[in-house]
Amino acid sequence: MTLRLVVSLCALCALCGESFSADPGPWATYRGNPQRTGNTDGAAGPEKPAILWSVKSTDHFIASPVPVKDAVYIAGIGAFNRPSASLFPFAGKNPPAATWVKSAPYLKLASVSSPAVAGDYLLFGDGIHQDSGGVLHCVNATTSQPLWQLVLPGDLIHLEGAPVVAGGKVFIGGGAAGALCVEMDKATLDGKEYDLATVAKMQDAKWKELTAKYEEAKAKKDDFAIPPDDSQLLKFAPKKVWQKGEKKWHVDAPVNFASDKLLVPTAYLDKEKVGERALYALNATTGDTVWRTELKYNPWGGATVAGDLVIVPESSVGYYYKELKGAKGALTALDLKTGDQKWRKEIPTGGVLGCASVSDGLAVCTATDGKVRAYKVADGERAWLYDAKMPFFAPPAVAGGVVYAADLGGTVHAIDLKTGNAKWTLSLAKETGAPGMVYGGVTVHGGKLVVATCNLDGPFANKETVLVCIGTK
């Protein structure tokens, strides 16, 4: 074999592996990065918090807010599970006007999935537990124009966890559909394949056609003339690369990505008697199992990457307020390469529903017993404990040496990452007049905090909710 051929083969191998050699970009995965910090710019929030703007709503916000350039995306569930997805500018008047809003008839199912942001595109799933089937959506982040949809029908299939985008591929869990990988940049229609730039042009042309027909009908004074909507656009579908665990796993938690591995948390549903309590590491290219580690409790929050470790939260209960009493949990560290357990910390007084956030050698988690705990990543030794005296569902965020955690009373806690000492607290109920529970966690971006509430259950059931931006006035 000639030297030139060897060099060429090495270059080819490098190119083939390049797609999965780096972490996802900022906000291309749940909570912003594989470390799940809820922040990607390193800028801490305000020293003296103040409400910059708030939006009151009758929708319930379960998914984490996600920054999209100079705006923030939020998904809501309305009456009779009416879906909504909105984009609000960070800067502007109080309350801000939405840049765009999507709902029915394009969105047919409610979404509790935070989107992945990949360049000009947003990718998110829909469907919740009581739905049979779900859809993975790809839309233009600026205009909300639909580009493609992957429709997944079937019992116990729903796309509740956030997707991750890496190497031009989209990975997501689909409940009983297991884990899936699809091409992001290519979509098919009537057996023909198109790139996304061409898809966008074809959708523009279709919209002009629909608008022209509507205007023509109006000119004829047609009483049945109805304005066009996004549900009438072309139905492109992405190319599926692989699907694993269908009808065997139950993947509601967000998947994560580390080098060439996709980390897939699967839960066991006690009522339906289906699924597994385990974490799988899959080869991202093929979907083949690299390793599997069984878990004691369900990993509802998904896995967090901490260097050569994977940190997995566990909880004996789900996101149900009535199940808080007697909840148990744990935080478990696994070897990323082998899946072997490195350390495990039982939490007998509360379940860990949210993912852990890793920063500066600490893994920080919240629990339903009202405590925020920080463990040393290296050996699992507890570094500190903060008592909020109110249960947590939501994961913490970490930015600029500060931990931000929002509890089920609607209070945001700012905690020093090194010491665990309180820096400040802010009650959303007192500041906005809208009490509510926080499910999705605090998002930190550009020195501002964004947090939203949910009142599907609990002491504030069916009361109005609020989306809040916190900063410095």
Side-chain angles (χ1 to χ4, degrees):
M1 185 178 292
T2 66
L3 178 61
R4 178 176 295 178
L5 180 57
V6 171
V7 172
S8 298
L9 287 174
C10 290
L12 180 60
C13 290
L15 287 172
C16 291
E18 185 178 4
S19 297
F20 300 113
S21 63
D23 287 338
W27 298 105
T29 186
Y30 182 60
R31 302 295 288 160
N33 48 42
Q35 293 72 43
R36 306 310 202 202
T37 60
N39 169 262
T40 61
D41 59 19
E47 287 290 334
K48 296 181 179 180
I51 302 293
L52 301 182
W53 55 256
S54 63
V55 178
K56 291 185 178 180
S57 176
T58 57
D59 286 355
H60 304 279
F61 304 111
I62 294 178
S64 295
V66 172
V68 182
K69 299 179 182 178
D70 57 354
V72 61
Y73 171 102
I74 188 71
I77 300 176
F80 306 104
N81 288 340
R82 174 187 53 80
S84 69
S86 307
L87 194 72
F88 289 95
F90 270 109
K93 60 183 181 181
N94 182 17
T99 304
W100 53 254
V101 178
K102 298 199 82 62
S103 188
Y106 172 71
L107 294 179
K108 295 178 173 58
L109 299 174
S111 174
V112 296
S113 166
S114 296
V117 183
D120 293 327
Y121 309 116
L122 289 180
L123 300 109
F124 61 93
D126 68 18
I128 52 181
H129 188 74
Q130 54 264 46
D131 296 322
S132 293
V135 180
L136 176 62
H137 300 266
C138 177
V139 304
N140 183 286
T142 303
T143 66
S144 81
Q145 178 195 60
L147 296 167
W148 56 249
Q149 301 89 39
L150 176 68
V151 180
L152 297 169
D155 291 341
L156 293 178
I157 291 178
H158 35 257
L159 289 76
E160 295 185 344
V164 56
V165 178
K169 305 291 191 299
V170 185
F171 306 89
I172 193 168
L180 305 99
C181 172
V182 302
E183 297 275 2
M184 186 185 77
D185 299 322
K186 299 174 184 177
T188 61
L189 181 68
D190 298 329
K192 295 182 179 179
E193 187 174 279
Y194 304 90
D195 60 36
L196 284 192
T198 303
V199 169
K201 291 179 182 179
M202 293 174 69
Q203 296 289 40
D204 285 339
K206 181 65 176 179
W207 185 257
K208 289 180 181 179
E209 175 191 328
L210 293 169
T211 302
K213 288 181 178 179
Y214 169 64
E215 294 297 336
E216 182 181 349
K218 276 203 313 180
K220 294 179 179 179
K221 298 183 179 180
D222 184 348
D223 292 336
F224 297 97
I226 300 175
D229 63 74
D230 287 346
S231 68
Q232 299 168 278
L233 290 174
L234 300 170
K235 302 298 190 293
F236 289 89
K239 179 182 177 182
K240 189 186 293 184
V241 179
W242 54 256
Q243 182 175 2
K244 301 292 180 177
E246 187 176 8
K247 297 182 180 179
K248 296 180 181 179
W249 307 342
H250 196 86
V251 187
D252 285 346
V255 295
N256 206 343
F257 188 90
S259 185
D260 59 347
K261 296 182 183 66
L262 184 73
L263 302 170
V264 180
T266 168
Y268 179 77
L269 305 183
D270 292 296
K271 182 179 179 180
E272 293 84 357
K273 307 298 182 186
V274 296
E276 300 179 27
R277 290 190 182 99
L279 182 72
Y280 280 82
L282 306 182
N283 181 296
T285 302
T286 65
D288 295 336
T289 298
V290 178
W291 52 258
R292 172 192 181 275
T293 298
E294 191 169 340
L295 302 170
K296 183 177 181 180
Y297 305 116
N298 280 329
W300 295 119
T304 298
V305 177
D308 58 359
L309 295 181
V310 180
I311 312 294
V312 188
E314 300 178 49
S315 176
S316 65
V317 300
Y319 293 85
Y320 300 101
Y321 190 84
K322 294 178 181 179
E323 294 182 356
L324 288 173
K325 186 177 181 181
K328 298 178 181 180
L331 202 66
T332 302
L334 307 175
D335 185 282
L336 176 60
K337 185 177 180 180
T338 65
D340 294 337
Q341 182 176 304
K342 291 299 183 180
W343 52 261
R344 176 180 173 83
K345 297 297 174 180
E346 291 275 355
I347 301 176
T349 55
V352 185
L353 282 165
C355 61
S357 297
V358 171
S359 181
D360 293 339
L362 295 178
V364 184
C365 68
T366 59
T368 61
D369 63 359
K371 309 293 197 305
V372 183
R373 295 170 172 86
Y375 298 94
K376 295 180 181 178
V377 170
D379 56 14
E381 180 184 348
R382 198 177 76 191
W384 51 259
L385 181 146
Y386 173 91
D387 190 358
K389 296 180 172 59
M390 182 63 68
F392 288 98
F393 280 176
V398 183
V402 183
V403 176
Y404 301 96
D407 63 35
L408 292 187
T411 295
V412 180
H413 304 258
I415 308 162
D416 186 271
L417 176 62
K418 290 184 179 180
T419 65
N421 295 330
K423 293 179 71 68
W424 53 258
T425 60
L426 183 75
S427 169
L428 301 184
K430 291 180 181 178
E431 295 292 329
T432 68
M437 304 189 296
V438 179
Y439 280 52
V442 178
T443 294
V444 189
H445 184 71
K448 300 181 178 68
L449 313 181
V450 183
V451 62
T453 60
C454 173
N455 287 326
L456 283 172
D457 194 7
F460 317 119
N462 300 317
K463 291 186 178 180
E464 66 180 353
T465 59
V466 67
L467 171 68
V468 171
C469 181
I470 302 168
T472 303
K473 284 189 176 180

